[in-house]
Amino acid sequence: MKKIFTILICLSGFLLQESYSQSAGNTIVPDCNTALNVYLECPYCDMDYFRDNFTSVNYVYDRNDADVHVMVSMLSTGIGGSSYYTILKGKKRFATHQDTLIFDVPPRATEEITRSILLQKIQLGLVPYLLKTSYSDSLTLFISENPLKE
């Protein structure tokens, strides 16, 4: 296939907001009563980067408080890249929904590229859950027909 399609989620309004952190003293959560509660179990994820660049979900510290439990595992590929296996398991009102994402990060990918890919793929995986929240009106789909080549 000549063209590779990259799907990006633009959460209008939220990406333009001031970044926030869940550290004590500086917790600003956009409408925390209606935002999706996500427990991210990912030893490879830069949590500060996720909190700063994906602010329309609540990151919870107890998986029992989560609407979605995201579990990420990684294996090195034979050519030097990484293959990520991500399970998104719905809880509470989403208990009947579960999904699995498998994606690769190319060899020689920088830390910035790796964390950007991880965030993008997890955001995409959360779309079915976000569509069932008050943020559904803020979701926009953009498909790039000319993605950047590695």
Side-chain angles (χ1 to χ4, degrees):
M1 185 171 189
K2 284 185 142 186
K3 293 184 181 182
I4 298 174
F5 292 97
T6 303
I7 300 175
L8 298 174
I9 297 176
C10 299
L11 298 172
S12 60
F14 298 118
L15 296 178
L16 299 175
Q17 287 188 48
E18 191 173 314
S19 299
Y20 79 97
S21 168
Q22 283 187 312
S23 61
N26 187 22
T27 303
I28 302 169
V29 180
D31 196 6
C32 64
N33 294 322
T34 59
L36 191 65
N37 292 324
V38 175
Y39 180 77
L40 183 57
E41 188 175 334
C42 178
Y44 322 101
C45 297
D46 180 343
M47 289 306 297
D48 290 332
Y49 179 81
F50 273 62
R51 287 184 192 105
D52 290 345
N53 291 285
F54 189 37
T55 61
S56 55
V57 299
N58 293 328
Y59 296 94
V60 296
Y61 296 103
D62 184 347
R63 67 178 171 222
N64 295 317
D65 295 332
D67 295 314
V68 183
H69 182 173
V70 180
M71 297 164 274
V72 182
S73 60
M74 185 266 298
L75 290 172
S76 296
T77 61
I79 60 170
S82 301
S83 185
Y84 288 87
Y85 185 83
T86 305
I87 298 172
L88 296 103
K89 184 173 183 178
K91 301 182 70 133
K92 299 179 183 177
R93 62 186 167 142
F94 301 108
T96 60
H97 189 75
Q98 181 171 323
D99 202 0
T100 302
L101 307 172
I102 301 172
F103 56 92
D104 295 326
V105 173
R108 296 180 300 282
T110 64
E111 184 178 324
E112 175 62 30
I113 290 171
T114 300
R115 67 185 184 179
S116 175
I117 292 170
L118 276 166
L119 176 59
Q120 178 192 29
K121 297 300 184 182
I122 290 172
Q123 284 176 319
L124 288 171
L126 289 172
V127 168
Y129 303 96
L130 289 167
L131 284 171
K132 293 178 175 68
T133 69
S134 62
Y135 292 108
S136 65
D137 293 336
S138 300
L139 293 173
T140 304
L141 176 65
F142 172 77
I143 300 174
S144 173
E145 294 189 28
N146 297 311
L148 296 174
K149 304 274 191 238
E150 296 298 329

